[in-house]
């Protein structure tokens, strides 16, 4: 019975996710769902990314947190629209964003002229992977401090992601983390997952990630343009 | 409606948690629920702890993971009974242990003569804090690599915990983590939370944590003994 209740929750969620997707597509926004465990460096990556994108496209951010506006406050000075979602009215704090929360957040965002929405999900390697929110791409961040066994322990997150940012590379020399073993573990659950090595602290790898984003935004614009318009 | 369904799930869970607790008490086991984000070092702490406890009390471990037996396999050579719970038959992987899972695991553990059960919860800073499993004490682990803002972003976990192990202290010099600011943030959500600084890698702080465990086990034995028996 519990399982069928949860199945219904997911089905209802998928319907709203499809509505969100239609709205994003009508405005030509590429939407990227950024997921990770707590403290992997998502917000620092977004800060760096928004600075690096400066002028090349028009971005907006939706921040998901159980409580507080710490992350939104960090991004506000960057001059992009930021909407904060707090999940704590739900069940003592929902552990993921769902499609309805994004739907509600959209009422506070003007999508016209926005090329890219980066959605920072709640810090959690499990449930965010299970809930569609209407995004075009799912990416995940893993900090090397979290250990090389994570693909085997949280396989769904690695399986649904279109890109993995392996962050905090600057810490590598102080850890017992073997990148080759990590890549082998990741390949066991998702052999086609591209991995970009990154240090949001030093800027290492940032260009490769920003290039990926720019390519995805361009491809999205091409997809929606009438034949021959681009 | 969703909220009331979830309320019922939690109420049903609490009933089973009380049954678990009765069974632990009947056998004189102290049960400690160990919670944290993925990759904070729970399993390494358990390895070190079991070695450090060697001979001083009889311990058992229940391991909670979405999938796999990696953590149980790491602990098996230490010669303590280990039971692995996998949460993946639930909803693509439940993000927390609940009282029923512990109840099922107990059928595989002989509680007679066990003084202490360490339960390693699923790596997640949100939902494990919401589900009673029958434990006497809840402790949390936070790695300094996760950042000093976590108490403000995941307040329930810090509020329900009886002890915090601040792990990976050996990385401190390579991070922008200010322990004083972290302590101030933790005090804002839980002013009475004791914090033990630890490096499971080097062994720093291990003695203070093991002393806490031994004191709790002794206090538990005293509580259940008939008046004057100890």
């Amino acid at each position: 019975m519990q399982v069928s209740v949860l199945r219904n929750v997911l089905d209802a969620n998928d319907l709203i996710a499809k509505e969100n997707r239609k709205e994003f597509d009508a405005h030509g926004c590429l939407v990227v769902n950024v997921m990770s465990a707590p403290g992997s460096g998502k917000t620092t990556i977004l800060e760096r990314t928004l600075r690096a994108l400066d002028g090349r496209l028009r971005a907006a951010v939706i921040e998901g947190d159980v409580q507080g506006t710490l992350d939104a406050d960090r991004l506000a000075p960057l001059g992009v629209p930021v909407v904060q979602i707090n999940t704590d009215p739900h069940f003592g704090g929902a552990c993921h964003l769902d499609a309805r929360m994004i739907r509600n957040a959209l009422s506070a965002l003007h999508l016209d002229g926005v090329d890219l929405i980066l959605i920072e999900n709640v810090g959690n390697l499990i449930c965010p992977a299970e809930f569609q929110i209407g995004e075009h791409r799912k990416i995940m961040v893993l900090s090397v401090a979290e250990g090389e066994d994570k693909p085997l322990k949280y396989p769904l997150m690695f399986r649904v992601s279109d890109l993995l940012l392996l962050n905090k590379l600057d810490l590598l020399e102080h850890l017992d983390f073997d990148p080759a073993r990590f890549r082998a573990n990741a390949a066991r659950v998702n052999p086609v997952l591209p991995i970009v090595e990154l240090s949001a602290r030093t800027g290492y790898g940032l260009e490769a990630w920003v290039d990926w984003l720019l390519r995805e935004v361009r491809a999205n614009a091409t997809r929606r343009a009438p034949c021959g318009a681009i």
Side-chain angles (χ1 to χ4, degrees), chain A:
Chain A
M1 194 214 72
Q2 254 191 50
V3 171
S4 80
V5 168
L6 292 166
R7 193 64 261 162
N8 291 343
V9 168
L10 282 180
D11 288 347
N13 181 73
D14 283 357
L15 284 178
I16 304 170
K18 277 184 190 148
E19 290 302 309
N20 291 349
R21 176 68 170 270
K22 267 190 214 160
E23 191 157 344
F24 298 141
D25 285 340
H27 291 85
C29 300
L30 180 84
V31 177
V32 179
N33 182 1
V34 183
M35 303 178 290
S36 81
S40 66
K42 288 189 296 303
T43 314
T44 306
I45 290 174
L46 291 194
E47 281 178 315
R48 283 280 196 159
T49 305
L50 292 168
R51 277 205 198 95
L53 283 172
D54 189 42
R56 284 189 278 178
L57 52 77
R58 291 149 303 176
V61 174
I62 298 176
E63 278 293 335
D65 280 299
V66 172
Q67 217 175 83
T69 59
L70 282 177
D71 292 347
D73 296 345
R74 282 172 63 184
L75 299 178
L78 297 173
V80 303
V82 180
V83 178
Q84 175 81 52
I85 296 174
N86 278 158
T87 69
D88 65 351
H90 302 259
F91 183 35
C95 62
H96 57 273
L97 292 177
D98 66 26
R100 188 181 300 278
M101 297 177 200
I102 298 300
R103 186 116 209 104
N104 293 341
L106 290 184
S107 64
L109 262 188
H110 297 286
L111 296 186
D112 282 330
V114 171
D115 305 305
L116 170 70
I117 303 179
L118 294 164
I119 300 182
E120 184 177 341
N121 217 309
V122 178
N124 179 354
L125 277 186
I126 308 167
C127 302
E130 295 167 348
F131 283 81
Q132 306 295 330
I133 53 178
E135 73 278 60
H136 299 86
R137 293 287 177 268
K138 294 178 201 281
I139 72 142
M140 67 170 293
V141 181
L142 189 93
S143 143
V144 289
E146 293 168 42
E148 63 211 19
D149 59 348
K150 294 300 162 290
L152 307 180
K153 295 180 68 179
Y154 304 91
L156 186 66
M157 180 62 78
F158 290 79
R159 211 168 281 140
V160 300
S161 291
D162 298 299
L163 180 75
L164 185 148
L165 300 178
L166 187 62
N167 194 27
K168 307 200 186 179
L169 254 277
D170 54 295
L171 292 179
L172 203 54
E173 58 184 309
H174 312 295
L175 299 168
D176 310 313
F177 182 98
D178 177 348
R181 204 173 311 143
F182 169 72
R183 282 176 180 272
N185 287 341
R188 274 174 66 183
V189 299
N190 186 349
V192 297
L193 177 65
I195 298 176
V196 171
E197 298 191 349
L198 198 77
S199 165
R201 200 181 186 204
T202 68
Y204 173 82
L206 194 68
E207 209 178 304
W209 149 240
V210 169
D211 282 350
W212 183 91
L213 264 182
L214 290 169
R215 270 199 313 276
E216 291 290 332
V217 168
R218 268 197 304 270
N220 188 50
T222 311
R223 266 193 301 277
R224 64 182 286 271
C227 208
I230 288 194

